[in-house]
Amino acid sequence: MSIIIFLVFLLCCTSSVLSTKDDEIALLKIKKQLGDPYGLGWWVKGFDYCNRSANVAPDYSDITCTSTGRVESLILKNLNVTKPFPDGICSLTEMDYLEIYKIPVLYGPIPSCFTKLYNLVSLYITYTSLSGAVPDFSGRIKPSNLTFINLSQNQFSGTIPSSFGSLPKLYYLDLSFNRLTGTIPPALLSTSSSSLELANNNLTGEIPKCYGAVNFSVFIVRGNRLNGDPSFLFRKQQTAGNIELAHNDFKFDLSNVEFSDNLWGFDISHNKIYGRVPNSFATAAHLRYPNLSFNRLCGELPQGGNMGQFDAAIFANNACLCGYPLQPCSNSAPAPAPAPAFRPPF
Ligand SMILES: *[C@@H]1O[C@H](CO)[C@@H](O)[C@H](O)[C@H]1NC(C)=O
Ligand SMILES: *[C@@H]1O[C@H](CO)[C@@H](O)[C@H](O)[C@H]1NC(C)=O
Ligand SMILES: *[C@@H]1O[C@H](CO)[C@@H](O)[C@H](O)[C@H]1NC(C)=O
Ligand SMILES: *[C@@H]1O[C@H](CO)[C@@H](O)[C@H](O)[C@H]1NC(C)=O
Ligand SMILES: *[C@@H]1O[C@H](CO)[C@@H](O)[C@H](O)[C@H]1NC(C)=O
Ligand SMILES: *[C@@H]1O[C@H](CO)[C@@H](O)[C@H](O)[C@H]1NC(C)=O
Ligand SMILES: *[C@@H]1O[C@H](CO)[C@@H](O)[C@H](O)[C@H]1NC(C)=O
């Protein structure tokens, strides 16, 4: 008798059984909030959402589970719905991976309950019409294992929350193609091989100096309204492979910049950068995709090394650059003064 009571207890009262049921309720709520779209048809009462081979519509959704049957990852994609963000998602508290991809008319803000998802490791929301503020993880309970955030290609506005900087493992942050304004907060990322991508927003001000000390793998801020002198990003030991500063209002002297051997991509086009192209541009071991066009550079290009593989177009529209692959420098161009010729005594 007591064994039967124990079994009944096991069946209905342990937290994993209850939570599994809760996750089913949450998933069915999400489906309803999305207007019961084609693609989530297999989400029905009592469905075995942990069984991936039962998923008949993997082009639209995918779910994986923890060993206790809680939702561990959720993918929602390619859904044709015109709905606000389904807050049923906030109840999937064991989830470590959330991906919302190509739901073009998912609109409105991400609700504040979203920050309850403190088990998140990867957050990927791209190609939606979500707007309002990007999630601010400044609460007391943080998703302290959050390492990867990609919120690019949405319509988020407002400023970048400095609370991203309080996520100790965050190393990949992509907020490109939104409508973010304000300045770039300092110390958003601090681990090595960090990737910071903030392209095509409306960010202003200078890049905080502290980023000069970060070992980036990628640093992309193209297409904003940033200004100042970010040349501290370039140092011989810089680990970044790709640095893109194009289409901003940066103004600095390129003459003394040291190109690291790790750099393969370097786009500074459409700024107000002046000075000469330094020799390390020609000798940087991996430089393949530079673009210096539409700046105010001047003087003779360095020769040898990489220079043979670069097209003249990447130097176009500068103040007065010359030398291969551009026109040869005329005598009046700033070039090393020729050694005084021997004049025979007359
Ligand atoms: C998972 O779903 C498939 C397809 O519906 C089914 O054949 C299989 O028995 C299910 N596995 C479990 C463990 O329920
Ligand atoms: C999306 O749904 C709307 C309304 O149901 C429909 O008119 C439209 O053709 C659908 N678009 C696509 C790409 O399926
Ligand atoms: C973070 O990961 C560690 C190790 O996997 C785990 O023990 C811990 O519970 C996780 N913390 C959160 C908030 O998910
Ligand atoms: C971030 O999302 C955008 C849009 O889906 C994509 O182009 C980009 O490659 C993503 N970055 C990574 C590292 O997944
Ligand atoms: C940036 O701001 C300008 C001026 O306020 C506005 O015209 C433009 O549409 C904005 N761009 C983006 C990507 O939000
Ligand atoms: C950055 O990389 C350099 C060279 O690889 C290394 O000496 C330094 O400790 C790294 N710094 C950080 C903060 O990881
Ligand atoms: C260089 O930048 C200019 C201006 O942004 C652009 O038009 C051109 O296509 C770029 N060239 C290459 C090779 O990336």
Side-chain angles (χ1 to χ4, degrees):
M1 189 60 183
S2 64
I3 287 180
I4 289 175
I5 290 171
F6 178 64
L7 283 179
V8 168
F9 171 80
L10 261 192
L11 272 177
C12 59
C13 305
T14 59
S15 68
S16 72
V17 172
L18 273 180
S19 302
T20 302
K21 193 68 197 161
D22 288 345
D23 279 3
E24 181 191 319
I25 291 168
L27 289 168
L28 295 178
K29 182 178 175 191
I30 293 165
K31 178 187 178 188
K32 190 159 176 243
Q33 289 179 319
L34 290 176
D36 200 355
Y38 175 78
L40 300 187
W42 68 289
W43 293 20
V44 293
K45 200 163 187 315
F47 76 127
D48 187 2
Y49 59 81
C50 291
N51 179 355
R52 292 184 87 181
S53 44
N55 181 354
V56 294
D59 290 344
Y60 302 101
S61 71
D62 196 11
I63 299 168
T64 65
C65 289
T66 64
S67 56
T68 57
R70 302 282 318 271
V71 171
E72 186 171 38
S73 72
L74 173 64
I75 300 175
L76 294 168
K77 58 186 174 185
N78 304 319
L79 296 173
N80 179 12
V81 298
T82 303
K83 293 285 177 191
F85 190 93
D87 67 8
I89 285 178
C90 303
S91 303
L92 300 172
T93 51
E94 282 286 307
M95 183 163 54
D96 67 19
Y97 180 92
L98 174 64
E99 174 176 337
I100 299 178
Y101 173 70
K102 280 195 183 160
I103 307 189
V105 225
L106 188 69
Y107 65 88
I110 292 183
S112 58
C113 67
F114 189 79
T115 52
K116 286 202 295 196
L117 298 174
Y118 59 84
N119 278 305
L120 279 179
V121 173
S122 297
L123 174 61
Y124 186 102
I125 301 180
T126 69
Y127 294 107
T128 75
S129 298
L130 289 171
S131 58
V134 297
D136 183 346
F137 298 100
S138 59
R140 196 172 51 83
I141 301 173
K142 293 187 191 305
S144 54
N145 290 335
L146 196 48
T147 54
F148 179 98
I149 298 177
N150 190 344
L151 299 175
S152 66
Q153 305 278 1
N154 298 293
Q155 291 178 26
F156 293 119
S157 60
T159 56
I160 300 173
S162 54
S163 60
F164 284 126
S166 67
L167 303 172
K169 297 188 182 168
L170 187 65
Y171 77 93
Y172 187 93
L173 180 61
D174 187 348
L175 303 174
S176 302
F177 293 91
N178 280 289
R179 296 176 175 179
L180 300 172
T181 52
T183 56
I184 300 175
L188 287 175
L189 303 166
S190 50
T191 61
S192 3
S193 45
S194 294
S195 256
L196 185 60
E197 300 195 25
L198 304 171
N200 293 70
N201 281 287
N202 246 336
L203 301 170
T204 50
E206 303 192 3
I207 294 175
K209 284 268 183 325
C210 60
Y211 290 114
V214 177
N215 284 336
F216 284 107
S217 64
V218 168
F219 185 91
I220 299 178
V221 295
R222 61 181 305 127
N224 282 286
R225 293 189 283 144
L226 298 164
N227 58 40
D229 172 2
S231 59
F232 54 81
L233 289 168
F234 304 101
R235 46 190 166 92
K236 193 77 190 142
Q237 295 78 25
Q238 176 56 268
T239 52
N242 190 19
I243 297 183
E244 298 186 18
L245 308 176
H247 290 271
N248 278 291
D249 229 353
F250 291 125
K251 205 180 275 183
F252 62 91
D253 186 348
L254 192 67
S255 316
N256 300 316
V257 161
E258 267 222 83
F259 286 82
S260 94
D261 284 337
N262 297 310
L263 203 64
W264 52 262
F266 172 76
D267 190 348
I268 58 167
S269 63
H270 278 281
N271 280 288
K272 294 177 178 137
I273 296 162
Y274 56 92
R276 293 186 328 105
V277 178
N279 282 330
S280 61
F281 181 85
T283 55
H286 294 108
L287 193 59
R288 292 295 173 273
Y289 303 102
N291 194 340
L292 286 61
S293 62
F294 295 90
N295 277 295
R296 296 172 178 176
L297 298 165
C298 194
E300 183 167 21
L301 291 173
Q303 296 300 316
N306 299 323
M307 297 307 288
Q309 51 183 318
F310 296 148
D311 197 86
I314 69 162
F315 302 108
N317 289 81
N318 272 288
C320 45
L321 288 175
C322 60
Y324 184 84
L326 301 173
Q327 295 298 313
C329 298
S330 70
N331 291 337
S332 58
F342 175 66
R343 282 171 189 275
F346 177 57

